[in-house]
């Protein structure tokens, strides 16, 4: 198993994942909309912030523990609820095990290829993420299934623009059913990477892309494509819908996809415990700035009323430290884990998490901080005058 994990940083993992995965699968992982401006911007924003290293009084131990949505974690990186992790037979269960081993929580998407029951069993600190698909009755049954499985918190994700166009190519639509004609159509992609496909066959599986957490009214498990058609046909939720969902769940609750002060304040009003600033990893409107850029202004506006997380562009531990120094409680990491998963399954995902964890500690050593809760904006240098960091309140 360890021999499959041959990367020392996440840039290497990304290159290896691209070589390992069929082209259509890689395009789905890389994603982004239109020209990919936001996809690149999510990384560029981190590159416009630097540090002031110190040489005296450097720490010899580090406290990276924190709490998010009532869950204690060993370091401030939570697995982002990325859908359809059937890019490796280990899937979401493997990533959940990796997160548990690393001492952190895992977010599980409604679009996951593994069920919430199986993922909670792999990592009791599982946060279930809900998309607004179908009727309130269907949504209520899915929420209750997550509760019964033991999910610790609920996320509702609202940042999706249904913009499928990409300048560098769009993968084929996931199947609505897996009949003979569909298998014949998909066969060239699978056979283009025989090692990847053989890994599935050795486990007695195929990447069929069912989504068990989006079960229908009769309990049937749809294929991804059929569930996606339901998603596109479902009217987007109103503020009242999300308030109803928050009251239905009753436990720790997060709204993911916030981009403005106005929306952040509305989340406070409906009783959310936390929000995540996000442009869906570059998959919302292309041209949306990185959430890192407006993190300070939203934090100042909320004045500590709820916890604020951020996602998009996390590729190294120093990125995490930058987000925390700006005031984020923790970050979500998505593609970083997918790259590791693609390369080495559970072990690859665990390696990705350890790279992030070690990078956090190394950065803290360099800037003379022993505790993540002591990080603040004074630890950062703005390298580009267009990146405005307002003073702390």
């Amino acid at each position: 198993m360890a021999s499959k994990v041959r990367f020392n940083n996440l840039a290497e993992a990304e290159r290896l994942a691209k070589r390992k995965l069929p082209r259509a699968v890689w395009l789905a992982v890389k994603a982004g909309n239109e020209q990919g401006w936001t996809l690149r911007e999510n990384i560029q924003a981190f590159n416009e912030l630097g540090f002031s290293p110190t040489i005296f009084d450097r720490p010899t131990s580090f406290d990276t523990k924190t709490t998010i949505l009532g869950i204690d974690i060993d370091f401030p990186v939570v697995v982002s609820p990325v859908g359809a992790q059937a890019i490796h037979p280990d899937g979401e269960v493997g990533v959940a095990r990796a997160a548990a081993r690393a001492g952190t929580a895992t977010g599980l998407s409604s679009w996951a290829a593994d069920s919430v029951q199986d993922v909670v069993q792999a990592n009791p600190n599982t946060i279930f993420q809900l998309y607004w698909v179908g009727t309130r009755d269907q949504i209520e049954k899915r929420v209750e299934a997550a509760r019964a499985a033991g999910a610790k918190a609920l996320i509702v994700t609202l940042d999706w623009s249904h913009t499928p166009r990409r300048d560098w190519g769009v993968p084929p639509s996931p199947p609505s059913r897996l009949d003979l004609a569909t298998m014949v159509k998909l066969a060239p992609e699978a056979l283009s990477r025989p090692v990847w496909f053989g890994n599935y066959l050795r486990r007695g599986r195929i990447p069929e892309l069912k989504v068990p957490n989006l079960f229908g009214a009769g309990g049937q498990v749809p294929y991804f494509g059929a569930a996606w058609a339901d998603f596109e046909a479902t009217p987007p939720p109103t503020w009242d819908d999300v308030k109803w969902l928050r009251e239905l769940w009753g436990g720790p609750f997060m709204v993911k996809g916030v981009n403005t002060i106005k929306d952040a304040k509305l989340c406070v009003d409906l009783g959310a415990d936390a929000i995540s600033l996000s442009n869906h990893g570059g998959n919302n409107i292309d041209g949306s700035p990185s959430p890192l850029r407006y993190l300070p202004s939203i934090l100042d506006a909320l004045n500590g009323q709820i916890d604020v997380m951020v996602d998009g562009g996390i590729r190294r531990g120093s990125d995490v430290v930058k987000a925390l120094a700006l005031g984020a409680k923790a970050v979500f990491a998505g593609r970083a884990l997918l790259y590791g998963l693609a390369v080495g399954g559970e072990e690859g995902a665990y390696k990705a998490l350890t790279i992030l964890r070690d990078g956090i500690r190394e950065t803290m050593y360099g800037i003379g901080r022993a505790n993540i809760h002591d990080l603040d904006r004074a630890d950062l240098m703005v390298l580009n005058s267009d990146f405005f960091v307002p003073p702390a309140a």
Side-chain angles (χ1 to χ4, degrees), residues 239 258-269 298 301-302:
W239 186 89
V258 174
N259 290 268
T260 67
I261 291 174
K262 175 186 174 183
D263 286 346
K265 289 183 174 179
L266 287 171
C267 291
V268 172
D269 291 344
I298 288 179
L302 296 183

Side-chain angles (χ1 to χ4, degrees), residues 333-358:
R335 285 190 184 86
L337 275 295
L338 291 184
Y339 298 152
L341 177 68
V343 174
E346 177 186 333
E347 290 301 318
Y350 179 71
K351 181 69 175 289
L353 284 167
T354 59
I355 287 171
L356 292 172
R357 182 191 63 201
D358 293 347

Side-chain angles (χ1 to χ4, degrees), residues 195-219:
V195 174
W196 175 82
F197 189 55
N199 199 16
Y200 273 93
L201 295 181
R202 283 192 295 274
R203 308 280 188 96
R205 301 178 59 185
I206 57 173
E208 59 180 351
L209 277 186
K210 282 190 172 182
V211 282
N213 301 308
L214 286 172
F215 57 84

Side-chain angles (χ1 to χ4, degrees), residues 89-269:
D90 286 355
E92 286 88 0
V93 167
V95 173
R97 288 196 192 104
R101 289 166 57 192
T104 192
T106 189
L108 178 69
S109 173
S110 295
W111 298 94
D114 289 328
S115 72
V116 62
Q117 292 84 0
D118 289 343
V119 171
V120 170
Q121 190 171 21
N123 186 348
N125 288 328
T126 292
I127 305 166
F128 184 66
Q129 176 249 29
L130 188 91
Y131 277 86
W132 196 264
V133 183
T135 65
R136 275 197 180 189
D137 182 61
Q138 289 174 304
I139 291 168
E140 181 172 355
K141 289 178 180 177
R142 294 168 192 153
V143 168
E144 294 306 329
R147 192 197 311 277
K152 293 286 183 67
L154 186 73
I155 299 171
V156 58
T157 292
L158 304 177
D159 59 332
W160 186 264
S161 65
H162 297 273
T163 308
R165 293 169 296 280
R166 298 171 192 163
D167 292 6
W168 57 93
V170 179
S173 299
S176 297
R177 57 181 181 174
L178 201 62
D179 55 14
L180 180 60
T182 303
M183 287 190 284
V184 170
K185 180 181 178 181
L186 297 177
E189 282 285 347
L191 297 177
S192 70
R193 294 293 187 271
V195 174
W196 175 82
F197 189 55
N199 199 16
Y200 273 93
L201 295 181
R202 283 192 295 274
R203 308 280 188 96
R205 301 178 59 185
I206 57 173
E208 59 180 351
L209 277 186
K210 282 190 172 182
V211 282
N213 301 308
L214 286 172
F215 57 84
Q220 70 277 15
V221 175
Y223 283 98
F224 194 107
W228 187 262
D230 288 343
F231 180 37
E232 292 193 310
T234 302
T238 64
W239 186 89
D240 287 335
D241 287 327
V242 180
K243 191 174 191 315
W244 166 82
L245 181 64
R246 196 270 169 276
E247 292 170 354
L248 171 68
W249 174 250
F253 183 80
M254 172 185 284
V255 178
K256 186 174 182 289
V258 174
N259 290 268
T260 67
I261 291 174
K262 175 186 174 183
D263 286 346
K265 289 183 174 179
L266 287 171
C267 291
V268 172
D269 291 344

